[in-house]
Amino acid sequence: MQSNRIPRRDWLAGTGASLLTLAASAKAGAAPAQPQAEKSSAAEDAARARRMQWWHEARFGMFIHWGLYSVLGRHEWVMENEGIPVTDYEQLAKRFQPKPNAARAWAKLAKQAGQKYMVMTSKHHEGFCNFDTKLTNYCAPKQGPGRDLVREYVEAARAEGLRFGFYYSLMDWHHPDGALCATNEDARKRFVEYTHGLIRELMTNYGKVDVLWYDVSWPLDARGWESERMNNMVFELQPDIIVNNRNALPGDFSTPEQEIVADQRGRAWESCMTLNESWGYHQADDAWKTPKTIVRNLVYCAHDAGNYLLNIGPKPDGSIPEESVRILTEVGRWTSRNAESVHTQDRCQPHRSNYAGFTRKGNTLYMHVYFWPGETVALSGLKTGVKSARLLASGQQVKFQQDRFRVRFTGLPAEPPDHPVTTIAIECESEPLQDTDFVRRERPRNNV
């Protein structure tokens, strides 16, 4: 994962990945890479809808980036960004000695924040496995931690009633075949079998797994990774799992990074974002998002039926940075009062306001007022009749007046009654729809 506005994985995919894959194909005599999978069948669509129902209702999840880079505390890409030799970086595995069951605090905070699922790095780009594996000694049980950190995470998530998943980086800066696989067919075969073997262990050793979150397919394409075989294995072992699109196949959902962009093809999507500007622990990164920004991002995602996967980067001992706790605790107070407005599967059409955002559940429109205007809140162009309105956090009824061009909610307090965002639940006669162009065209104008 990378914190830049244009994710580094996209740059890699668009340049080095294509060049190296072409080189590998030419050297190995392989056929050109095939296009992504064809449209799925009706049966596959129905099965996907069943598997993903909980995920759509969840809307809000916790991402956890934790590994050897946490020991240095200078961003999760520190190995590559600082050009640290592999032999030097390996020594961090001995210094990585987190306190037992640190994940229990993560899961408790996630639940308190209103997050319904968690996704943890089982192996990041550095190549270190946080789980027990028979395929390498470069893993938590055989190094400093002396135990299976993924298992502790799984047990913590289950104890709090949360769904959980595994992040897995295909790119590997440590394995000797991690880059050689692009130009040497024997290396590719070895590395692919190693990769498939690690994923098989993750899908076999921890009971039911809810999400597999691939990342960075550099330096191979779907054909090189044998991604179709990879996914077939995953679904054979975990029939109810959902997988993302970062092993160069479409998967079950798209993954915009550090931005909120609904998939234009109507596919399921999840926006993953950081709390500051780093995924892994970065002791000097103080660019923290405010609780209001987090709530607004959650609303923006829910408006277009997307999920919000918000990251924490635990310290090397596994403790959560104090600012992360403070922010998520405040967000949790808001979600405890306003949960019904974001845990919804419905897309929302109304979107025009200079001080509010919108979500919807059935015929109820939720108006999330970010910048409180005072005693009157107005919405232009609502084409649907309003039956009633209330402040969501308190249940207090709100008076309103509606005509062809707007609805005005009146008698409100001068100061916002909820923090950091006040939500008005508006019960409509049918699905709420907005047309501000109609207002612009049809609103009476005085003669000059």
Side-chain angles (χ1 to χ4, degrees):
M1 306 295 295
Q2 183 73 359
S3 63
N4 296 336
R5 197 63 181 169
I6 300 176
R8 183 154 189 161
R9 64 172 183 84
D10 288 349
W11 179 86
L12 286 167
T15 55
S18 58
L19 292 173
L20 288 168
T21 302
L22 286 172
S25 297
K27 184 165 184 175
Q34 298 299 309
Q36 290 188 340
E38 298 294 326
K39 291 182 179 179
S40 57
S41 68
E44 290 171 332
D45 288 342
R48 178 176 292 111
R50 176 190 60 78
R51 287 187 286 110
M52 297 190 69
Q53 182 176 351
W54 73 265
W55 186 85
H56 284 297
E57 294 171 352
R59 283 287 168 255
F60 194 19
M62 174 181 281
F63 218 175
I64 304 105
H65 277 66
W66 195 42
L68 303 187
Y69 43 83
S70 307
V71 176
L72 295 179
R74 297 196 300 273
H75 199 281
E76 72 286 349
W77 277 64
V78 62
M79 182 181 181
E80 178 158 301
N81 287 348
E82 297 184 11
I84 302 174
V86 170
T87 52
D88 292 351
Y89 195 86
E90 284 177 333
Q91 303 309 308
L92 296 175
K94 301 173 184 176
R95 294 169 52 191
F96 186 36
Q97 298 180 343
K99 60 186 179 182
N101 298 307
R104 292 180 181 175
W106 312 345
K108 290 181 183 299
L109 181 61
K111 186 173 184 178
Q112 181 183 2
Q115 295 166 315
K116 303 298 184 181
Y117 63 106
M118 305 170 72
V119 177
M120 175 194 173
T121 48
S122 63
K123 179 178 81 72
H124 202 254
H125 314 327
E126 65 184 6
F128 183 78
C129 296
N130 280 323
F131 58 97
D132 193 9
T133 172
K134 297 178 180 179
L135 302 179
T136 179
N137 290 328
Y138 201 50
C139 64
K142 300 170 187 175
Q143 298 292 333
R147 61 190 192 277
D148 189 333
L149 301 179
V150 164
R151 185 166 299 282
E152 292 184 356
Y153 151 75
V154 169
E155 291 173 353
R158 286 182 175 142
E160 297 300 325
L162 301 174
R163 301 269 188 163
F164 70 88
F166 301 139
Y167 164 109
Y168 183 92
S169 172
L170 297 169
M171 179 169 68
D172 191 317
W173 298 329
H174 178 266
H175 195 284
D177 291 326
L180 185 61
C181 63
T183 55
N184 182 292
E185 178 62 8
D186 289 338
R188 187 198 69 82
K189 289 179 179 178
R190 287 193 301 267
F191 190 51
V192 166
E193 288 310 306
Y194 172 75
T195 299
H196 284 219
L198 290 176
I199 294 172
R200 176 177 287 276
E201 289 178 327
L202 286 169
M203 296 296 103
T204 302
N205 296 338
Y206 301 96
K208 185 177 182 296
V209 181
D210 298 299
V211 182
L212 178 55
W213 215 100
Y214 299 114
D215 197 20
V216 187
S217 59
W218 186 94
L220 301 173
D221 60 10
R223 186 182 184 115
W225 286 113
E226 302 180 34
S227 294
E228 186 172 351
R229 178 168 72 91
M230 182 189 297
N231 280 1
N232 287 341
M233 171 190 69
V234 168
F235 282 112
E236 180 181 345
L237 296 169
Q238 297 283 343
D240 294 324
I241 202 169
I242 60 176
V243 301
N244 74 351
N245 63 338
R246 294 195 182 188
N247 70 341
L249 292 179
D252 294 315
F253 62 98
S254 301
T255 53
E257 180 176 327
Q258 297 289 46
E259 59 183 357
I260 298 173
V261 181
D263 192 290
Q264 297 303 305
R265 298 159 294 179
R267 300 182 73 242
W269 60 280
E270 173 190 73
S271 181
C272 57
M273 303 183 83
T274 50
L275 265 172
N276 50 11
E277 294 187 359
S278 306
W279 297 98
Y281 174 59
H282 195 317
Q283 58 187 352
D285 183 351
D286 59 359
W288 297 101
K289 295 178 177 65
T290 66
K292 177 181 281 191
T293 295
I294 300 304
V295 170
R296 291 183 67 179
N297 287 346
L298 178 57
V299 168
Y300 287 148
C301 289
H303 177 273
D304 289 324
N307 281 24
Y308 186 33
L309 188 63
L310 183 62
N311 183 75
I312 63 169
K315 296 178 180 181
D317 67 355
S319 61
I320 309 166
E322 292 76 9
E323 279 298 292
S324 297
V325 174
R326 182 189 65 79
I327 294 165
L328 286 175
T329 298
E330 187 168 337
V331 170
R333 295 191 186 105
W334 185 88
T335 57
S336 69
R337 298 186 294 267
N338 298 278
E340 72 176 68
S341 67
V342 289
H343 296 297
T344 168
Q345 293 196 53
D346 297 327
R347 293 179 182 270
C348 182
Q349 187 270 338
H351 66 282
R352 292 287 297 276
S353 172
N354 61 359
Y355 52 71
F358 304 91
T359 56
R360 176 179 74 90
K361 179 176 286 187
N363 294 340
T364 303
L365 177 66
Y366 300 97
M367 187 174 184
H368 304 274
V369 185
Y370 308 136
F371 309 114
W372 190 253
E375 297 177 358
T376 300
V377 169
L379 175 58
S380 171
L382 187 65
K383 302 293 288 183
T384 313
V386 174
K387 297 165 59 178
S388 64
R390 70 187 192 281
L391 295 174
L392 185 57
S394 66
Q396 179 183 339
Q397 293 296 304
V398 175
K399 298 177 181 179
F400 66 93
Q401 301 166 358
Q402 185 175 18
D403 59 31
R404 292 177 63 207
F405 304 106
R406 63 175 179 169
V407 57
R408 298 171 67 239
F409 303 97
T410 60
L412 295 165
E415 297 298 320
D418 198 5
H419 181 80
V421 172
T422 296
T423 301
I424 302 174
I426 307 165
E427 303 295 338
C428 299
E429 295 175 350
S430 58
E431 178 182 337
L433 299 173
Q434 183 188 38
D435 185 355
T436 54
D437 288 343
F438 165 80
V439 177
R440 185 183 302 169
R441 289 191 310 266
E442 302 296 328
R443 181 173 47 193
R445 304 186 182 218
N446 294 332
N447 294 326
V448 177

